[in-house]
Amino acid sequence: MPFDGFMYPNEVELQWSVLIVVYPFLTGLVAGAFILASLERIFHVEAVKPTYRLALLTALSFLLVAPLPLQLHLGRPERSLEMYLTPHTSSAMAMFGFVYLWYLMAVILLEIWLEYRKEIVLLSQSTTGLKRQMYRLLTLGSSNLSEGALKVDDKVGWVVSLIGIPSAFLLHGYVGFIFGSIKANPWWNTPLMPVVFLFSAMVSGIAIVLLIYMATCKLRHIKIDMRCVDTIAQYLLYTFIIDFGLEMLDLIHRIYEADESFHSLNFMMQTKLFFSQVVLQIALGTVVPILTLGFIQIFHVPEKVRKLCYSICGALTIIGIFAMRWNVVIGGQLFSKSFLGYTTYKVDLISREGELIAAGLLLLPFIILAVMVKILPPWPRDEVSAAD
Amino acid sequence: MLNVTDDFPVMTYFCLTYKAARKPGGGLPGVSLATFKDAEHIVRLAVASAIVLVIFLLVRAHFIPKSFGQYGHYRGDALAELTAKPIHYAGHQTCEQCHSDVLDVKKMGKHAGVNCEGCHGPQAKHAEDPGAGKPVLPDTKVLCARCHEANLAKPKNFPQVVTADHSGGEACKTCHQPHSPLLAPGEKKKS
């Protein structure tokens, strides 16, 4: 029997699969990567400049894949167009379509276009064949690279970034809102959910850009800018502390409140979710990175060790945030609303919502990013020539 | 009145230079032809976005059915299409007109509230022409288990059995009268 105790018939089988775990994980990476990019643009954190363009392209690559898990889960992807044609304002999920579209079209694509316009114009003149046509199309017929035009790019880009920050908050806060507003599920139903999702998104986005930056430096045989990675690691630590603080606040509040769901949820944390929540999410995915990053801030650690620590912390953070999404989405469906029974989730290997598809969806943004990097190189010109 | 092609670069320019103009020592420089040219690509982007928006609105106008929103957030014509569909169920009142003997047994027992077609399936064709489509008798060992197979989620006072233990694969109607299950087959309840 896949369940113990008493389950209502519609609770035995989980309705939201691993793909619904992948979806908030991907949107979180988008929002986090964009917020890291805005550190340089809006808050003038010059040290993270080498990752600015990379963070934008990362955000776009993950954003393009973000709706795919939902499409696969629901089936009939052509019907998703309906939410734009006949929008239903009372549906939180339908309105998410507009948040997504706004973020993609008015924020990410616009900012990337303005940031890369100079390169696009130059590439449209230096390349040949199909590539030339593509870049020419992207210039929208204007090859004005005068000082005044570039100033206009910079200023409009600044405004777009400024609008982009609340938009990024909206994008991922919205994902948390969808879970937090499900009043029938005590595991999800907390107004802290959007805030927790938002900060965990920032944590995962910063970590993924840190990892991608270090990996690309290694692949391109370029020296890692330690000032840059040290600053990113610092921001990772600060965001992590806020995120962990919020999650602990939620936990302490639940323990103190100890409502009728508490024993059931507590039992789950000690049994079914012990590995994914206590071991992966809290211990390995949060406490270890916070302690390591904190240690580096206080004591002098050699560069080589710092690099290794950042790689390990980044990877652990990503695993921890994925575990957090798993614990929220899957954990919220493992117990009965009667609080008297628990079911089991067994993910398929090969099916429309199986492990292979989920792994493919997690890999796809990196493939898109590799293509984007070829089309719009995010490296400074002097670095490109040095690598050549 | 605003002229989009003429005034947009000016509006864009004023918006962009507003911040600069507020800086100490900064001033709003004169709007020259060079300024228009510098914002030309932004105008092009705005025009391209407007074209995309217009295409979207045209696509939207084409794809949304005319009757959408007539009664609510759905296609009004759907109601007429649903009404035009063939009727499959005759309704228990129609069955009872001919099968009053079954009704007499049924209304005294626990199955009084169960509709005839709930077990016998849709019978509109049979009701129209009783001779043409005679309904097939349901297999009670499958049919009864649909409601009476034991399940923890069912209310405790609802009659339920583990059929494998209870009847060992025997058809339920061997012992129970399906139209009034507390009676034995063929038995009639005394009124």
Side-chain angles (χ1 to χ4, degrees), chain A residues 236-351:
Chain A
L236 179 61
L237 175 66
Y238 300 153
T239 343
F240 231 144
I241 291 171
I242 302 174
D243 178 45
F244 190 51
L246 283 168
E247 285 186 32
M248 286 304 105
L249 174 65
D250 182 40
L251 189 70
I252 292 165
H253 181 253
R254 281 173 193 275
I255 294 170
Y256 185 73
E257 193 183 21
D259 68 6
E260 69 273 17
S261 66
F262 179 70
H263 286 295
S264 189
L265 304 185
N266 187 34
F267 175 77
M268 275 212 312
M269 272 195 59
Q270 289 174 23
T271 53
K272 287 178 182 287
L273 294 181
F274 182 78
F275 179 72
S276 62
Q277 179 130 18
V278 179
V279 179
L280 278 185
Q281 184 190 330
I282 298 176
L284 289 176
T286 308
V287 176
V288 172
I290 285 181
L291 290 179
T292 315
L293 293 172
F295 185 84
I296 292 172
Q297 296 300 314
I298 298 166
F299 301 100
H300 177 75
V301 178
E303 190 178 308
K304 211 174 169 185
V305 182
R306 285 212 307 280
K307 279 187 206 165
L308 182 70
C309 287
Y310 292 154
S311 311
I312 295 170
C313 285
L316 283 177
T317 304
I318 297 294
I319 294 169
I321 298 292
F322 186 82
M324 182 259 185
R325 311 294 190 229
W326 174 278
N327 295 324
V328 169
V329 176
I330 303 299
Q333 301 173 85
L334 290 180
F335 64 96
S336 169
K337 306 302 172 290
S338 65
F339 307 125
L340 296 171
Y342 305 89
T343 189
T344 308
Y345 175 53
K346 189 174 178 300
V347 58
D348 304 324
L349 178 65
I350 304 166
S351 69

Side-chain angles (χ1 to χ4, degrees), chain A residues 5-9 84-88 110 113-114 117 140-142 144 146 148-149 152-153 155-156 158, chain B residues 12 16-17 19-20 37-42 44-45 48 52 56 59-60 63-64 68 73 151-154:
Chain A
F6 178 85
M7 296 295 288
Y8 292 112
Y84 295 116
L85 297 179
T86 53
H88 207 308
L110 192 55
W113 186 72
L114 289 165
R117 211 180 63 81
L140 297 179
S142 166
N144 186 358
S146 67
V152 169
D153 287 346
K155 284 179 180 176
V156 179
W158 186 85
Chain B
T12 315
L16 297 177
T17 50
K19 199 176 148 244
K37 278 210 150 185
D38 289 343
E40 186 208 341
H41 58 284
I42 304 288
R44 283 175 181 268
L45 180 70
V52 172
F56 169 74
V59 168
R60 187 172 185 267
F63 277 111
I64 296 181
F68 187 87
H73 200 80
N151 185 322
L152 275 172
K154 289 174 187 167

Side-chain angles (χ1 to χ4, degrees), chain A residues 43-202:
Chain A
F43 302 107
H44 305 293
V45 183
E46 285 296 315
V48 299
K49 200 169 184 174
T51 60
Y52 172 65
R53 288 177 161 196
L54 192 63
L56 283 182
L57 294 185
T58 306
L60 178 60
S61 311
F62 281 92
L63 189 65
L64 289 175
V65 182
L68 294 186
L70 295 182
Q71 307 273 29
L72 275 161
H73 171 70
L74 295 168
R76 301 293 299 264
E78 80 283 1
R79 285 185 182 172
S80 60
L81 188 64
E82 301 281 339
M83 73 181 162
Y84 295 116
L85 297 179
T86 53
H88 207 308
T89 48
S90 67
S91 160
M93 280 307 288
M95 284 299 105
F96 182 78
F98 286 87
V99 175
Y100 174 83
L101 196 65
W102 163 263
Y103 196 70
L104 175 68
M105 305 298 283
V107 178
I108 297 271
L109 283 181
L110 192 55
E111 186 161 340
I112 290 178
W113 186 72
L114 289 165
E115 173 62 26
Y116 274 99
R117 211 180 63 81
K118 187 179 172 186
E119 274 78 3
I120 291 171
V121 171
L122 293 175
L123 284 164
S124 74
Q125 291 158 354
S126 62
T127 48
T128 51
L130 263 179
K131 260 183 142 181
R132 185 190 180 89
Q133 296 304 321
M134 180 188 71
Y135 288 120
R136 278 187 68 178
L137 189 72
L138 287 174
T139 61
L140 297 179
S142 166
S143 54
N144 186 358
L145 290 181
S146 67
E147 203 184 320
L150 293 178
K151 259 189 185 168
V152 169
D153 287 346
D154 191 46
K155 284 179 180 176
V156 179
W158 186 85
V159 174
V160 172
S161 290
L162 193 66
I163 298 169
I165 297 174
S167 302
F169 277 48
L170 182 66
L171 180 81
H172 206 64
Y174 207 105
V175 180
F177 171 81
I178 289 170
F179 284 101
S181 57
I182 298 178
K183 58 189 166 201
N185 192 321
W187 189 247
W188 294 336
N189 186 227
T190 158
L192 269 179
M193 195 61 102
V195 195
V196 170
F197 260 63
L198 188 60
F199 276 92
S200 58
M202 285 161 71

Side-chain angles (χ1 to χ4, degrees), chain B:
Chain B
M1 218 172 101
L2 284 173
N3 180 325
V4 174
T5 43
D6 291 343
D7 294 339
F8 190 82
V10 183
M11 291 188 294
T12 315
Y13 175 74
F14 275 103
C15 290
L16 297 177
T17 50
Y18 180 67
K19 199 176 148 244
R22 291 193 59 181
K23 281 181 186 166
L28 208 61
V31 180
S32 63
L33 189 67
T35 319
F36 288 136
K37 278 210 150 185
D38 289 343
E40 186 208 341
H41 58 284
I42 304 288
V43 179
R44 283 175 181 268
L45 180 70
V47 172
S49 311
I51 292 171
V52 172
L53 188 68
V54 169
I55 293 173
F56 169 74
L57 291 174
L58 289 174
V59 168
R60 187 172 185 267
H62 177 74
F63 277 111
I64 296 181
K66 283 202 170 49
S67 66
F68 187 87
Q70 193 179 350
Y71 306 114
H73 200 80
Y74 59 94
R75 202 164 47 87
D77 288 350
L79 294 183
E81 284 168 24
L82 289 173
T83 355
K85 284 195 167 187
I87 291 172
H88 296 289
Y89 287 88
H92 69 99
Q93 295 92 338
T94 314
C95 307
E96 286 157 14
Q97 282 174 18
C98 303
H99 301 284
S100 55
D101 53 326
V102 178
L103 176 66
D104 289 341
V105 179
K106 201 166 137 277
K107 70 182 178 192
M108 308 296 286
K110 289 254 185 183
H111 280 177
V114 179
N115 270 320
C116 314
E117 288 161 303
C119 299
H120 293 280
Q123 298 298 340
K125 273 188 187 163
H126 170 67
E128 263 177 39
D129 183 3
K134 204 176 177 212
V136 182
L137 273 180
D139 179 359
T140 52
K141 68 173 179 286
V142 178
L143 180 77
C144 304
R146 272 189 212 155
C147 298
H148 296 288
E149 187 68 60
N151 185 322
L152 275 172
K154 289 174 187 167
K156 279 205 173 96
N157 56 357
F158 184 80
Q160 47 193 313
V161 290
V162 177
T163 45
D165 301 340
H166 181 77
S167 58
E170 194 75 36
C172 308
K173 71 176 180 184
T174 318
C175 305
H176 299 277
Q177 151 74 274
H179 293 122
S180 188
L182 289 178
L183 300 179
E187 188 185 348
K188 288 204 175 163
K189 191 156 184 168
K190 288 156 201 158
S191 49

